[in-house]
Amino acid sequence: MNRRYIFSLIGLFTLTPYTVAAQPSVQYQAADAPVANISTHLPGMPPIMDQGTWFHGIFNELEGRYSPKGTNFRWDGEGWYGSDYNKFWIKSEGTLEKGRLSDGQQDFLYSRAVSSYWNLQGGVRVDLDDGPTRTWAAFGVQGLALYQFEFQATGYVSNKGRFASRLEGSYDFLLTNRLILQPQVELNLYTKADPARQVGAGLSDIDTGLRLRYEISRKFAPYIAVTYSGYLTQAHRFARQQGEQTGTTRFTFGVRSWF
Amino acid sequence: MLKHPISSSRITRRQFVTGLGATTLLPNAARATPLGNSNIPAVSSNQWDLRIQRSKITLDGKTLNAPCVNGTVPGPVLRWKEGETVSLTITNTLKEDTSIHWHGIRLPSQMDGVPGLSFYGIPPGQKFTYTFPVQQSGTYWYHSHSNMQEAIGLYGAIIIDPLTPDPIPCERDYVIFLGEWTDAMPDDIISNLKMQSDYYNFRQRTLASLPKEAQHAGSTSAALKDRLMWSRMNMAATDISDVTGIVYTYTLNGHAPDTNWTGLFRPGERIRLRFINGAAMTFFDVRIPGLEMLVVQADGNNVEPVPVDEFRIGVAETYDVIVQPKDNRAYTLFAQSEDRTGYARGTLAPALRMSGIIPPMDPRPVRTMVDMGMGHMDMPSMSTMKMPSMNMGGMAMNMPPSSPSPIVEDPGPPPLNVENQNIAQAPIDRTGSPGDGLEHNGRRVLTYKHLRALRPGTDPRPPSREIILHLTGNMERYIWGFNGRKYSESGPIRLHKGERVRFTLINDTMMEHPIHLHGLWSELENGHGEYRPYKHTLISQPGSRMSYLVTADVPGMWAYHCHLLYHMDLGMFRTVIVS
Ligand SMILES: [Cu+2]
């Protein structure tokens, strides 16, 4: 998180003078500074509408993952509705395998733009799949880090006093203008184990992929990928004890699409 | 009081032989289509009935149910006469509000046609009559200022005959209206840009383009270093146009390149070409291979003729040029978009169905640190650029030595915030540059420094106030504004009636912005003292600092904005109140 950008918000209405010696006639004020009770247009008829709202949804992952040990289907997507500053977000992910839905996490978040590239987000997360349901309060950041990394970090606290966090990052390497290689990683961390949900304390699981997509249009891009998902540290031991797979590399087909 | 100096001393009106010629000699193909009404009426008129209607118009395979004037795109050429009072009745047959704004015309603010500012717009099914005295001459244009109608066909040319003949008489006279056409709806374009601001840019740096860049930069590591620098700033050196030839067909008088609008001539004739950039989002670089162009007018005002091979025309600007083809052959009017993703094209020919050679497009420009406002190491103005109230070049000459230095309203460098992603550390004077992509191309290219008015300005007073505005934006979020704020978060810029002010624009973004002040002239301070050119739209180049003088002689609420339609609509707009 880039601190400079957060603090620059405070500078929004404070006026920073030039560093050179001020001449006596200089007034450090903007001619278009907002002033109360001065109308800038006729009542009810702004000449432009710069406070529009938009709706977009994107499936970053909508894919089938194949391996000799078993095939599964996974989605990871998000949608938002709102204005430049305020948005309502839904994030959804889940894995379907042999009729079982696992790793189903749904976030419902309010998002506030706070700097050039960063948004603060807060709301709830519900773990909804065939395991026991857990509910969490969520708070995090989402945005574009330096060097154009897409990044999301969310902290969670459950009604039982557990803490968790999820880190997600991705990067687009342009091989050509339509052929794009995207490494992506998602990490989940928990303070306490929750064996019923295959969750271990500490770094619990990782989901990562290297996707090569072709943008037929910006909004529709099929891809091939190599993906890996697996349990780490304590969760790794749980899985091994229960005779489950601890981690699998899979050959993957999918489509990235948005609307 | 409102009279412009250049036109006030004219006596007789020009012979418009060529208007008739254009009507009768247009190719049949051009006449049959509902597009491209570029015929100059034989005589001027002060009474006009214009009907705004939806018409189904297909161009280059892209069909729109376009709102347009009298059924054509562009609408009819309006020919007026300086000194007369015109009366234009607009009938709105659309299901939504509409308006017509007379771009560059000096008139009472209620007649300016911006809904929400001194005017309520024209509701569906209603009529509105604009009436105002015509106090100027030259080439102008009109367009809707409602919704996104301007982007999908509601525009046309205006020609105003001067009281005295133009300094150089011509045998032919053609309007060259440049535009763009797409069946992508403006709201969708905005929505796509909000989701992904490089949505329309398929000319980015990639692994495949690295060898070529390495060649340019001298080594692979130099090329990679440059990439890293841009990527560290979360910006792209290939960010030239927000909307590109991927969806746009570029048009000349409403014709796609392959339908080839043609203007006829006889060898040896002088032809006046009135270039108007009526595009919503595209800058054009114009040339006619094999012909020298004499630039004689900028934004409707006469300038000392400048011979050039090429010029850049920003959105909403106009340039009149004179050409004199001597050979009995076809010449191509070639207007490539700044980002080189396409071109508009027409032909000047001695007979129909001829066409000249279409030159290949130039390489697209690549932004540099100058565009990011990092200055230019060999620029002498380096030492003065940090002093906001220092005047450079010609402006200092205008001021009597005893006059007090003007009060400066200066917000200081803009904040880095949600609405702004860059600060130009060392903005420079770029009026001597033809623009990105046109430097050192081996041709004589017009720059703003070349523009020198034929007559001295009417208001010799030095400015009493300087208003500094930063052009800001966040490309990633696709928000635009001034001083790090969009329109809805700003106050108005207030001017006292009769006041003389200097506007100084500092462009903190990495893109050109054509800045347009309604109702008042903008006199560019480009080093020619009192022979400053009068303009209505000024290109602010990326990373630049530019000043112009304004006499606030007509009261009212005026629009002040970037003329890139999607920049304006997403915040790069202010109200200027003269009272
Ligand atoms: Cu702009």
Side-chain angles (χ1 to χ4, degrees), chain A residues 197-218:
Chain A
R197 286 195 58 82
Q198 291 289 356
V199 160
L203 208 50
S204 180
D205 63 78
I206 182 170
D207 188 278
T208 181
L210 185 65
R211 291 176 178 77
L212 181 67
R213 72 172 187 264
Y214 186 79
E215 296 201 339
I216 294 171
S217 80
R218 291 288 193 208

Side-chain angles (χ1 to χ4, degrees), chain A residues 79-172:
Chain A
W80 58 261
Y81 170 78
S83 63
D84 287 333
Y85 280 89
N86 302 306
K87 291 185 176 77
F88 177 68
W89 280 68
I90 296 179
K91 298 181 190 173
S92 173
E93 65 173 64
T95 304
L96 204 57
E97 188 168 10
K98 293 176 198 142
R100 275 191 58 207
L101 179 62
S102 62
D103 192 29
Q105 296 182 4
Q106 330 301 331
D107 290 37
F108 303 89
L109 305 169
Y110 161 76
S111 172
R112 171 84 186 168
V114 292
S115 73
S116 299
Y117 306 112
W118 291 99
N119 307 304
L120 294 183
Q121 302 186 324
V124 292
R125 160 178 147 188
V126 187
D127 295 345
L128 267 182
D129 50 30
D130 62 355
T133 300
R134 304 277 185 259
T135 307
W136 311 77
F139 186 78
V141 295
Q142 180 271 346
L144 194 66
L146 294 182
Y147 300 103
Q148 289 161 314
F149 277 98
E150 295 278 356
F151 184 71
Q152 301 185 17
T154 318
Y156 301 97
V157 54
S158 83
N159 48 356
K160 298 202 176 77
R162 296 161 184 267
F163 294 91
S165 97
R166 182 170 65 196
L167 305 172
E168 291 170 90
S170 71
Y171 193 82
D172 279 357

Side-chain angles (χ1 to χ4, degrees), chain B residues 191-205:
Chain B
S191 184
N192 290 339
L193 291 168
K194 279 281 176 189
M195 181 70 172
Q196 185 177 347
S197 60
D198 59 1
Y199 186 92
Y200 297 102
N201 185 355
F202 287 90
R203 294 270 193 95
Q204 304 187 59
R205 289 174 166 179

Side-chain angles (χ1 to χ4, degrees), chain B residues 211-263:
Chain B
K212 215 172 179 184
E213 281 161 54
Q215 217 174 8
H216 263 271
S219 70
T220 309
S221 70
L224 286 174
K225 218 175 122 192
D226 191 54
R227 279 193 188 193
L228 274 178
M229 193 161 56
W230 282 98
S231 133
R232 201 191 134 68
M233 297 183 298
N234 282 341
M235 292 196 220
T238 54
D239 186 1
I240 310 295
S241 301
D242 300 346
V243 191
T244 69
I246 282 281
V247 288
Y248 281 150
T249 296
Y250 300 107
T251 62
L252 189 152
N253 288 338
H255 289 254
D258 54 359
T259 57
N260 192 18
W261 177 89
T262 301

Side-chain angles (χ1 to χ4, degrees), chain B residues 353-370:
Chain B
R353 284 178 203 89
M354 290 178 73
S355 70
I357 292 162
I358 300 173
M361 279 189 283
D362 290 326
R364 69 129 156 63
V366 177
R367 303 289 189 197
T368 66
M369 286 303 122
V370 173

Side-chain angles (χ1 to χ4, degrees), chain B residues 242 281 283 471-472 478 480-481 507 509 511-515 561-568 572:
Chain B
D242 300 346
M281 290 299 284
F283 280 35
L471 279 53
T472 52
Y478 212 73
W480 300 95
N507 189 341
T509 76
M511 304 195 86
E512 294 84 3
H513 301 279
I515 300 295
H561 61 93
C562 174
H563 221 283
L564 296 178
L565 191 78
Y566 302 134
H567 290 194
M568 171 181 95
M572 212 177 231

Side-chain angles (χ1 to χ4, degrees), chain B residues 466-477:
Chain B
E466 176 171 1
I467 291 173
I468 295 180
L469 288 165
H470 288 264
L471 279 53
T472 52
N474 186 337
M475 196 67 197
E476 186 56 33
R477 298 183 186 275

